[in-house]
Amino acid sequence: AVVLAYGASGDRKLGIPGENLDGVHSAREFVNWYNGHPDYVEKDFESLLTRSASCVVIGQGNVAIDVSRIILSSTDKLKTSDICQHALDALDKSTVSDVSVLGRRGPAQSAFTIKELRELTKLDGVACVISPADIEKGSNPSTLEEISSSRPAKRKFELMKSVAAQEEKVNAEEEARRRLHIRFFLSPVAILPSEEGGGQARAVECAVTQLEGAAGRQKAIDTGERVIIEADLVLTSVGYKSYGIEDVSFDPNSHTVPSVQGRVVALPDDDDRDGVPAATPSIIPGLYVAGWLKRGPSGIIGTNIPDAKETVAAIREDLDAGKLGGSETTKMAEEDALRLARNEDGLLVGGKDGCKLIVDTKGWRSIERVETAKGQAIGKPREKVVSVQEMLQIAHHSNE
Amino acid sequence: GNAPVLGEYLDCACSGIMACSTCQVVVDKKWFDIVGHPEEAEQDMLDLAYNPQESSRLGCQIVLGSTMDGLVLMLPKGSNNMMDNIPFDD
């Protein structure tokens, strides 16, 4: 059996003009940069952070909150975490003092969870701002109905109300704190370039929206009004997206691998037998899918556990029924991807042509030891190795 | 201290640091005051749990003590009861 569980490594696009301007990136790229993903550590976020006064984050999920928190946190607090040193150095020099996190709908429809929001309200040296007008507008009948039936939604809304109640006091502050604005009813329609025509982002133009629809199904409707928010750095955080792989059915609309109870099935278009569309989807024997690739990229540990259980139950059932082994998929796996051997240097290799270097648990622990030691030297839990070359070097050449 | 924590006997995805909700239990109402009520941070995580109840707690935050001898808990459907897998001599 082969289980596809590779999640969602792409970004949903806004599909608006200016999305490719200098200074516009996905939040995921920024997270990968400060977390040390080898493919993203070279991205020049330092220049953006040191030439920008304000940042706009588009989207209101936990990722949007995360990047806002990292940009506004004092590096004093961050430097005892395992955030990468190159990011810490860049953030030390950052001139960003204002971050706006924009959502299309109202406060109650935001996707971030209360724990993350609460952390933002307690950040040292940062004032969190929510406008009472947004709370007012976001307290329409459908929303009140949504909140009344959900304890989490109610608690989160109450927290946002209490932040909004402080708005006047915060605005009157003499002390210059960094600002985090959580703004609602704003749907980006374009990212505007600087007048100099240098291809740099300078502002986000938004449509002002209002909520319409029944509880649980409210949509953001364009009121026709427009608002322009200045920003030199724009981070888009509107969801992840999975990629398909060769020879595996992939739904281009939902960006998921089609399945029934965890068993991968053929797409309807590829599923006709003698020109007649199949009545029920054809199961691809031996191939399974789990997690975000199966359901789409939303949900947390708690949602992924039952998902995994469903897929495992299907594998178990098929195993017991003698349906595994001998299938095309299993044969392919046995012949290509999983054959492991030692090359002439004694290193574990695998893959189609036997050339891919494999890192086993022992190798991983060597890398972990190096990271932990490097971190301890500077008061961090670990200092991550950010180059694949270096990782392979450590994994394969440690003395034990 | 070294007092045992209830979470050690339950499914736990985040190694007991209150960063998930897999160890949710529903404390029997008669025991809720003895066990103690969840503080704000724990309530935030309980918001994400499967169908949280008024007397829900996270197992990783309940330190077991002698006052809890006979404690009655309910596990949400879908939770693994690790006690089923411990080979006690009956």
Side-chain angles (χ1 to χ4, degrees):
Chain A
V2 172
V3 181
L4 304 171
Y6 59 81
S9 50
D11 298 304
R12 283 187 67 216
K13 292 278 186 211
L14 287 168
I16 60 176
E19 203 161 357
N20 295 318
L21 289 172
D22 185 28
V24 183
H25 290 273
S26 74
R28 190 183 54 87
E29 288 175 276
F30 186 63
V31 172
N32 283 350
W33 169 79
Y34 67 68
N35 265 341
H37 188 307
D39 296 346
Y40 292 87
V41 293
E42 303 287 309
K43 291 242 170 213
D44 190 11
F45 279 105
E46 179 165 327
S47 296
L48 294 175
L49 288 167
T50 52
R51 73 147 200 246
S52 305
S54 56
C55 168
V56 161
V57 180
I58 299 172
Q60 289 184 336
N62 284 337
V63 178
I65 299 293
D66 270 350
V67 298
S68 307
R69 184 173 51 84
I70 293 296
I71 291 173
L72 291 172
S73 285
S74 98
T75 47
D76 265 347
K77 290 273 148 67
L78 294 177
K79 72 183 182 206
T80 52
S81 76
D82 64 356
I83 191 172
C84 291
Q85 198 59 36
H86 66 264
L88 213 44
D89 293 340
L91 288 164
D92 248 341
K93 306 180 203 140
S94 165
T95 51
V96 177
S97 57
D98 227 86
V99 175
S100 293
V101 180
L102 313 181
R104 284 179 303 180
R105 296 189 297 169
Q109 289 78 31
S110 57
F112 49 71
T113 48
I114 192 173
K115 176 185 167 176
E116 278 71 19
L117 173 64
R118 204 185 292 284
E119 270 178 26
L120 282 185
T121 65
K122 294 179 170 167
L123 276 184
D124 252 354
V126 177
C128 186
V129 181
I130 293 179
S131 96
D134 278 348
I135 297 289
E136 180 72 40
K137 191 172 170 184
S139 298
N140 59 327
S142 289
T143 298
L144 294 180
E145 199 185 314
E146 283 168 16
I147 295 173
S148 69
S149 57
S150 161
R151 164 185 144 154
K154 198 185 307 186
R155 290 183 75 239
K156 189 172 75 171
F157 198 69
E158 290 304 312
L159 177 56
M160 287 193 276
K161 272 167 91 166
S162 70
V163 172
Q166 300 292 308
E167 192 226 23
E168 234 181 85
K169 198 163 82 142
V170 166
N171 284 337
E173 266 174 19
E174 308 239 315
E175 185 194 341
R177 284 202 281 168
R178 289 174 161 181
R179 295 280 161 114
L180 171 70
H181 305 262
I182 310 181
R183 300 182 62 168
F184 302 94
F185 304 107
L186 294 170
S187 180
V189 294
I191 300 176
L192 308 176
S194 52
E195 313 288 24
E196 298 85 58
Q200 286 179 358
R202 69 157 172 93
V204 181
E205 182 182 351
C206 300
V208 175
T209 67
Q210 66 189 25
L211 290 171
E212 259 175 41
R217 291 200 308 270
Q218 298 190 78
K219 292 205 180 296
I221 306 297
D222 189 348
T223 63
E225 203 190 319
R226 294 288 180 267
V227 160
I228 299 199
I229 305 174
E230 311 244 304
D232 318 277
L233 173 58
V234 180
L235 297 175
T236 63
S237 188
V238 294
Y240 297 155
K241 203 168 71 172
S242 291
Y243 292 123
I245 57 179
E246 220 178 288
D247 296 333
V248 175
S249 49
F250 190 72
D251 184 324
N253 298 315
S254 62
H255 299 282
T256 56
V257 169
S259 65
V260 173
Q261 293 180 318
R263 296 179 179 89
V264 177
V265 297
L267 280 174
D269 287 346
D270 305 326
D271 210 2
D272 56 58
R273 295 158 208 162
D274 308 321
V276 179
T280 55
S282 299
I283 291 175
I284 315 289
L287 192 58
Y288 304 85
V289 64
W292 282 6
L293 187 59
K294 183 210 277 181
R295 298 187 334 272
S298 75
I300 50 175
I301 293 174
T303 10
N304 282 317
I305 290 181
D307 177 300
K309 285 183 174 173
E310 179 190 59
T311 299
V312 169
I315 299 174
R316 183 83 245 183
E317 204 177 287
D318 293 350
L319 182 67
D320 290 345
K323 289 184 183 166
L324 294 181
S327 74
E328 268 316 299
T329 313
T330 313
K331 284 208 199 90
M332 271 165 51
E334 285 166 4
E335 284 162 12
D336 297 338
L338 300 181
R339 193 177 28 189
L340 300 176
R342 297 256 168 211
N343 66 7
E344 59 266 8
D345 294 323
L347 299 176
L348 203 58
V349 293
K352 264 198 160 92
D353 39 19
C355 284
K356 292 243 181 283
L357 283 175
I358 307 288
V359 176
D360 57 11
T361 305
K362 184 159 144 267
W364 187 88
R365 294 215 185 280
S366 301
I367 299 171
E368 187 186 39
R369 265 196 305 276
V370 167
E371 291 187 343
T372 308
K374 277 171 142 194
Q376 267 166 12
I378 48 176
K380 295 162 91 172
R382 72 173 73 239
E383 182 59 47
K384 297 179 191 178
V385 173
V386 297
S387 119
V388 174
Q389 276 291 76
E390 206 183 322
M391 287 181 212
L392 291 176
Q393 174 75 14
I394 296 167
H396 293 126
H397 298 101
S398 64
N399 298 322
E400 291 204 305
Chain B
N2 287 320
V5 166
L6 180 65
E8 291 163 31
Y9 299 99
L10 302 168
D11 243 348
C12 165
C14 74
S15 69
I17 59 171
M18 202 164 66
C20 75
S21 59
T22 52
C23 66
Q24 187 207 180
V25 296
V26 178
V27 180
D28 184 279
K29 289 196 170 56
K30 294 193 293 294
W31 287 89
F32 195 35
D33 286 343
I34 297 170
V35 167
H37 296 208
E39 303 208 348
E40 191 176 73
E42 186 179 332
Q43 283 185 44
D44 286 352
M45 292 316 296
L46 282 168
D47 275 359
L48 303 176
Y50 173 77
N51 204 14
Q53 306 296 304
E54 284 305 317
S55 59
S56 279
R57 290 288 315 265
L58 290 181
C60 63
Q61 302 304 304
I62 301 175
V63 177
L64 299 171
S66 55
T67 54
M68 296 182 213
D69 195 5
L71 174 61
V72 178
L73 302 161
M74 283 150 290
L75 295 188
K77 188 169 149 177
S79 265
N80 280 335
N81 184 352
M82 303 299 255
M83 298 297 282
D84 287 341
N85 300 324
I86 298 174
F88 288 131
D89 296 328
D90 252 38

